[in-house]
Amino acid sequence: MDPKEKEKIKNEIEKLRKEIEYHNYRYYVLDSPVIPDSEYDKLFRRLVELEKKYPEFYDPNSPTQRVGAPPLEKFEKVTHSIPMLSLSNAFGENDLIEFDERVKRFLDLPFNIDIEYTVEPKIDGLAVELVYENNVFVRGSTRGDGYVGEDVTLNLKTIKSIPLYLPENSGFSLLEVRGEVYLDKKQFLKINEEREKKGLPLFANQRNCAAGSVRQLDSKETAKRNLKCFVYGVGRYEGRKIHSQWELLEILKELRFKVNPLAKKVKNIKEAISYCKELDSIRDSLPYEIDGAVVKVNDFELQQKLGAVGRSPRWAIAYKFEEEVVITKLNDVIFQVGRTGIITPVAILEPVQIKGVTVKKATLHNFEDVKYKDIKIGDYVYVKRAGDVIPEIVGPVKEKRTGEEKDILPPEKCPVCGAPVIKEEGEVAIRCSNNLTCRAQIVRSIQHFVSKNCMDIEGFGDRIVEMFVEKGLIKNICDIYTLKKEQIIPLEGFAEKSAENLINSIEKSKNNTLWRLINGLGIRHVGEQLAKQLAKHFKHMDNLMSASKEDIIKAIYKENAKTKKKSTIIADSIYNFFQSEINIKIINRLKELGLNFEEYELVEKKESKISGKTFVFTGALNNFTREEAKNIVEKLGGKVSNSVSKKTNFVVVGKDPGSKYEKAKKLGVTIINEEEFMKLIS
Ligand code: IVH
């Protein structure tokens, strides 16, 4: 190519990269985009096209690289050039006053002088370090033990609020930035909901979830987790001088990092205390979890003089918010068995009131958590309600121990069916090995089969399934379809009419499209999305049942752009499911019973006005339930999402819309009412 032409292409590529990164900044850091989605997509597509055609201009920091890279075998170790310390804690205002006095004593200053502090929300996530050399992001690592962490560069690149380049005139030849990777509260719930549906162990809290997401060997998985990152500190830096924490935050903002907008500079410890309390009072209204506030001496020179004691700096302290924590006795531990056999220890507590709710049980998550927290049966324990919902055991009150307490040991046998328990490599969870006849697993898997996102059998709630299994009316999913009205009428809570209604709903479900059945089978790693993909690809259950492992990999790899390794694990699970004789027998019986095995919803997507478009619904609709509206959109080749982003094409607003409406207005997304929606789909 003529060198002039080449130079032109190179310039265009570089210009596009900068432009796209600027728009990422507007969207992900400032939350205020300046161009519509379609414009952004156009720029992005053009860049992808040019990079493909001219691979000689490859740049590992191009915005196109944010989608994740091929998986790693393991993480390399990274030694932090300046250790990443941790903070000592302050509980209550007296501890903060003492902290202020300690600072003054150490600096030989009179007690009546004012020291300037910054107060920042303490984000509950995972600490990371981001290294920029000559304005390019070259390495990202976890805190690890403070001295040595892990190289998670590829994963951190997928977080769009982390800049991949600094502005050319940043003034730094080297800059090590420190911050916290975290998840929004909603995103955390969503991830756990999806894991539950897929029969995967749940994350105990936001911090574990953020840590698990950053420490994925497959960065494409990290990319899906929607992580965010607030920055608040520096390690080494060369170039400009920085005189204070406040100036540092200003500089980081100028360099386009995401800095928490609630950070504040205060004149003295009194103001710091009152701002800590203010942050405490608004914590529930924030979209992310904070567990305290960090108070730092503002002046860097003073920080330098103060230095550190042990592993904590003398110039900063973490003010921990008061939780409503109560003490109660842990009377016993029971073991719950989930649909895929995961066994979860559950604490039975002496009933106690927390925030107006009586708490009798609390999940202990898994046995590693139990060991880590050192909880025993008979202990008095601190209990709090985390994020206002699930009660959590913080730890034992060790002073109250009598020596009579008993260890909580993982059962060797399934508490429900007695089969041996297994622990798979790399998993913290233990499982019952008997997937076929364990009663707990049977109940849970039938509950899953009839649930809304599977066969959607109306009136078949969890309790009813439990009762039917208890009474011996159903032993597996096939038995649902041979139930007779006469068997149901005499049962508790039923009468002639309600029994008839249930039989009708069961009958109706036979005509469901294939993906519902696939999802209902409860194959490990297969959730609603993957069930839809399989149904669309194989079109008929018989094809899926006889598919080879390679066929399955092709089906899931092609569309999901999953990594080969991940696809293989999932394909193995699907393939093995259909090799099991008992599963084959059950599925064949379902066919005999008249269940539809064909996919008719997703196979022939008509080209319509809404193909490829993404919809978000907010508020109540007059003519459809949410589920119905979703089905229509999907049938016409569109997608329905739960949250509004700049990629949303239409927000359909019904009666009493929620915050999604406000967000749509802010982002300039097209907003339509129900009537306009009906026109679109007609
Ligand atoms: S400053 C010298 N500021 O809290 C320690 N930390 O135990 C410097 N954290 O490991 C930490 N928000 O993971 C600082 N605004 C903030 C923070 C914060 C969260 C975490 C961080 C650190 C831990 C301290």
Side-chain angles (χ1 to χ4, degrees):
M1 198 177 25
D2 138 35
K4 254 198 184 153
E5 182 66 14
K6 202 164 172 172
E7 188 63 22
K8 223 176 99 197
I9 301 283
K10 184 169 171 243
N11 286 341
E12 185 182 351
I13 290 182
E14 279 172 3
K15 188 161 162 265
L16 277 167
R17 285 177 182 154
K18 283 198 184 126
E19 250 182 290
I20 292 170
E21 277 300 278
Y22 176 68
H23 294 302
N24 278 338
Y25 165 67
R26 296 291 316 194
Y27 188 81
Y28 293 99
V29 177
L30 299 185
D31 210 359
S32 129
V34 283
I35 54 166
D37 287 6
S38 48
E39 260 330 283
Y40 178 92
D41 293 342
K42 224 158 82 191
L43 294 173
F44 201 88
R45 275 201 304 272
R46 174 72 181 152
L47 179 59
V48 171
E49 180 191 317
L50 287 177
E51 286 184 347
K52 205 165 152 194
K53 208 158 151 198
Y54 304 99
E56 61 269 40
F57 298 128
Y58 167 79
D59 176 355
N61 278 27
S62 168
T64 54
Q65 303 300 306
R66 285 194 184 271
V67 290
L72 302 172
E73 290 294 322
K74 67 175 181 48
F75 295 118
E76 298 299 327
K77 296 267 179 261
V78 176
T79 304
H80 302 297
S81 38
I82 300 179
M84 293 177 78
L85 303 177
S86 59
L87 297 171
S88 43
N89 291 325
F91 298 97
E93 98 176 61
N94 279 345
D95 284 0
L96 284 182
I97 292 172
E98 277 175 22
F99 162 72
D100 181 60
E101 287 172 358
R102 268 200 308 278
V103 166
K104 289 173 187 163
R105 208 175 303 129
F106 197 89
L107 295 172
D108 252 339
L109 292 171
F111 275 12
N112 57 2
I113 209 168
D114 276 349
I115 300 244
E116 205 171 56
Y117 292 104
T118 61
V119 181
E120 302 160 28
K122 184 168 186 294
I123 312 291
D124 200 12
L126 179 78
V128 295
E129 177 166 79
L130 314 165
V131 182
Y132 292 83
E133 284 172 8
N134 299 317
N135 299 325
V136 178
F137 175 54
V138 291
R139 195 169 46 259
S141 54
T142 59
R143 174 176 180 276
D145 63 4
Y147 300 95
V148 179
E150 285 175 323
D151 186 331
V152 287
T153 312
L154 294 173
N155 301 32
L156 295 180
K157 274 188 191 173
T158 68
I159 302 176
K160 303 236 184 43
S161 50
I162 295 181
L164 300 175
Y165 316 96
L166 301 183
E168 266 158 39
N169 58 355
S170 75
F172 291 100
S173 52
L174 169 74
L175 182 63
E176 295 178 350
V177 180
R178 289 164 177 192
E180 197 86 355
V181 172
Y182 70 97
L183 286 152
D184 279 342
K185 292 173 186 166
K186 266 199 190 142
Q187 179 65 11
F188 166 67
L189 292 176
K190 199 171 137 202
I191 291 174
N192 259 355
E193 242 168 58
E194 277 164 15
R195 289 178 74 83
E196 187 162 24
K197 278 191 196 151
K198 290 185 186 169
L200 300 174
L202 304 188
F203 289 113
N205 51 42
Q206 256 96 333
R207 190 180 40 254
N208 290 1
C209 186
S213 305
V214 171
R215 298 187 63 260
Q216 289 276 341
L217 288 168
D218 180 359
S219 49
K220 290 208 170 71
E221 279 304 307
T222 310
K224 284 192 221 150
R225 298 280 170 94
N226 231 329
L227 297 165
K228 299 188 172 178
C229 180
F230 276 128
V231 299
Y232 49 68
V234 271
R236 278 185 312 164
Y237 57 99
E238 280 162 18
R240 286 159 80 170
K241 291 259 167 306
I242 311 175
H243 306 90
S244 69
Q245 173 67 11
W246 191 250
E247 187 186 323
L248 168 68
L249 296 180
E250 292 289 333
I251 289 174
L252 291 173
K253 264 188 262 181
E254 172 199 319
L255 300 183
R256 298 186 178 169
F257 286 95
K258 191 175 166 86
V259 173
N260 196 300
L262 296 169
K264 193 174 174 178
K265 183 171 72 173
V266 295
K267 282 208 293 289
N268 53 35
I269 201 69
K270 209 167 141 228
E271 283 189 11
I273 291 170
S274 78
Y275 192 55
C276 282
K277 290 186 178 165
E278 193 179 326
L279 286 176
D280 191 1
S281 71
I282 60 162
R283 74 186 278 213
D284 286 345
S285 66
L286 297 176
Y288 44 85
E289 203 67 66
I290 62 176
D291 59 349
V294 184
V295 179
K296 300 175 185 171
V297 170
N298 187 36
D299 190 305
F300 271 10
E301 211 176 304
L302 295 185
Q303 284 191 8
Q304 188 80 34
K305 280 189 191 155
L306 285 158
V309 52
R311 292 181 144 221
S312 309
R314 284 198 194 85
W315 46 265
I317 195 156
Y319 172 85
K320 293 288 211 164
F321 292 149
E322 254 176 65
E323 301 278 354
E324 198 178 336
V325 179
V326 298
I327 294 177
T328 191
K329 195 167 177 192
L330 194 161
N331 288 330
D332 200 2
V333 169
I334 57 165
F335 303 111
Q336 257 171 13
V337 186
R339 169 169 65 85
T340 54
I342 292 183
I343 300 175
T344 311
V346 177
I348 305 295
L349 304 170
E350 193 60 40
V352 65
Q353 290 272 321
I354 314 178
K355 290 194 181 172
V357 173
T358 308
V359 174
K360 297 179 200 151
K361 279 186 187 177
T363 169
L364 289 167
H365 304 297
N366 55 58
F367 292 94
E368 277 184 25
D369 212 34
V370 170
K371 214 161 105 193
Y372 174 73
K373 288 182 177 160
D374 185 24
I375 303 168
K376 296 175 194 276
I377 296 174
D379 260 338
Y380 281 87
V381 287
Y382 296 104
V383 185
K384 68 169 189 193
R385 269 176 71 211
D388 271 350
V389 223
I390 322 149
E392 189 180 324
I393 297 189
V394 186
V397 189
K398 289 199 176 152
E399 305 80 68
K400 283 203 171 207
R401 282 202 170 146
T402 60
E404 298 285 300
E405 296 76 17
K406 280 190 277 171
D407 284 340
I408 301 168
L409 297 173
E412 280 168 15
K413 289 181 177 158
C414 170
V416 178
C417 73
V421 153
I422 44 172
K423 187 167 191 288
E424 276 168 34
E425 224 190 282
E427 268 196 9
V428 287
I430 59 168
R431 293 173 193 266
C432 160
S433 58
N434 168 19
N435 297 114
L436 298 177
T437 60
C438 171
R439 208 177 67 89
Q441 293 190 56
I442 292 174
V443 170
R444 299 270 176 331
S445 58
I446 296 174
Q447 286 169 340
H448 173 74
F449 184 81
V450 300
S451 69
K452 208 150 192 55
N453 295 328
C454 299
M455 296 302 274
D456 192 19
I457 304 184
E458 221 183 305
F460 218 152
D462 285 357
R463 289 263 155 104
I464 297 180
V465 172
E466 228 169 294
M467 179 165 71
F468 283 16
V469 175
E470 185 95 1
K471 301 263 180 226
L473 290 181
I474 41 182
K475 291 190 192 64
N476 63 42
I477 50 177
C478 300
D479 298 339
I480 296 172
Y481 293 96
T482 54
L483 280 171
K484 299 268 172 308
K485 196 167 95 181
E486 294 67 37
Q487 293 174 295
I488 304 177
I489 296 172
L491 298 178
E492 198 190 314
F494 279 99
E496 169 90 27
K497 186 73 194 144
S498 47
E500 194 175 305
N501 286 346
L502 184 58
I503 295 284
N504 287 343
S505 319
I506 293 173
E507 210 42 39
K508 196 174 121 201
S509 76
K510 286 184 179 172
N511 298 325
N512 280 345
T513 193
L514 177 61
W515 71 260
R516 290 189 167 275
L517 178 58
I518 299 177
N519 197 21
L521 293 175
I523 307 167
R524 228 158 117 196
H525 297 294
V526 178
E528 181 178 334
Q529 278 316 314
L530 196 50
K532 284 183 178 166
Q533 213 164 301
L534 291 166
K536 194 172 143 200
H537 183 93
F538 290 103
K539 300 184 179 63
H540 195 285
M541 181 65 99
D542 291 350
N543 299 337
L544 174 58
M545 287 174 80
S546 57
S548 67
K549 229 181 259 186
E550 288 65 40
D551 289 340
I552 300 174
I553 293 183
K554 238 189 267 161
I556 60 184
Y557 188 53
K558 190 178 70 188
E559 287 205 25
N560 233 9
K562 281 224 168 67
T563 61
K564 257 270 154 49
K565 192 167 165 214
K566 188 87 209 254
S567 300
T568 314
I569 296 173
I570 299 173
D572 269 343
S573 156
I574 299 170
Y575 179 77
N576 293 339
F577 182 91
F578 291 110
Q579 294 311 299
S580 138
E581 247 175 66
I582 183 103
N583 290 343
I584 296 174
K585 229 163 131 181
I586 287 179
I587 297 168
N588 286 339
R589 176 87 180 114
L590 290 175
K591 195 178 192 180
E592 280 168 25
L593 288 163
L595 269 76
N596 167 55
F597 271 25
E598 266 177 81
E599 180 59 44
Y600 51 77
E601 266 185 18
L602 306 165
V603 177
E604 281 178 60
K605 273 191 195 156
K606 277 193 271 169
E607 258 312 304
S608 71
K609 275 181 275 185
I610 68 175
S611 345
K613 300 276 191 288
T614 303
F615 285 72
V616 172
F617 290 90
T618 174
L621 301 176
N622 286 325
N623 297 300
F624 319 89
T625 63
R626 278 281 164 86
E627 193 61 23
E628 282 164 353
K630 184 174 175 206
N631 285 339
I632 294 171
V633 170
E634 287 182 347
K635 241 185 233 175
L636 293 172
K639 267 203 287 198
V640 174
S641 160
N642 280 326
S643 54
V644 181
S645 76
K646 59 178 188 172
K647 301 240 153 70
T648 312
N649 300 97
F650 296 101
V651 171
V652 185
V653 176
K655 222 172 45 209
D656 297 327
S659 60
K660 292 177 201 165
Y661 178 45
E662 296 305 319
K663 177 119 190 246
K665 279 199 287 195
K666 200 164 142 206
L667 294 183
V669 176
T670 310
I671 298 172
I672 58 174
N673 59 26
E674 186 168 353
E675 223 169 277
E676 289 163 321
F677 172 65
M678 284 166 72
K679 263 194 212 135
L680 261 184
I681 58 175
S682 63

